[in-house]
Amino acid sequence: MKIGVNHLVYDIIRKIPYGRVSTYAAVARAIGYPRAARAVGNALNKNPYAPHVPCHRIVKSNGDVGGFARGQKAKENMLKQEGIKIKQGKIFNFCNIFYDFS
DNA sequence: ACGGTGACGCTCA
DNA sequence: TTGAGCGCCACCG
């Protein structure tokens, strides 16, 4: 396990409150690599901290749910469980529950 | 070392 | 409003 950018990603995501979501781009920006949104997704795909880090709270910038290692369906379920509504693969009230790290 | 691929994002037609 | 194209960074064969 390397202590580097990836670790920062996990650390940042851990700060997202229950019932809120953030985006890959926002995370990338928070760690100082605004263009590394893809890399963030790649890091989460590995996700050594599976239950510890709420990676399901990371969605696309356009409000789409995005992907998930264990399936998009599972991700939607977890989000719904936190009170987050999902309409046809998109986050409902995305603007309201979006969490910015700034 | 190199090229392909992916839980993405932005622009343009 | 959708879809296609290109750019980005990190991981993997």
Side-chain angles (χ1 to χ4, degrees), chain A residues 1-14 27-28 30-33 36 39-40 43-44 48-49:
Chain A
M1 164 62 196
K2 269 179 298 190
I3 313 295
V5 177
N6 284 28
H7 179 73
L8 291 178
V9 172
Y10 304 131
D11 196 47
I12 283 289
I13 294 175
R14 209 170 51 218
V27 174
I31 64 177
Y33 291 79
V40 171
L44 288 183
Y49 302 91

Side-chain angles (χ1 to χ4, degrees), chain A residues 19-21 56-60 62-68 71-94 97:
Chain A
R20 305 284 297 279
V21 298
H56 60 280
R57 294 180 190 153
I58 302 298
V59 299
K60 290 196 186 182
N62 61 358
D64 193 12
V65 176
F68 198 64
Q72 193 188 55
K73 204 71 187 297
K75 186 173 182 178
E76 291 185 11
N77 276 333
M78 296 171 79
L79 291 174
K80 284 182 180 179
Q81 191 175 318
E82 298 192 359
I84 298 173
K85 304 289 199 300
I86 296 174
K87 186 67 175 174
Q88 296 172 347
K90 278 74 182 173
I91 304 294
F92 193 69
N93 286 346
F94 175 61
I97 65 178

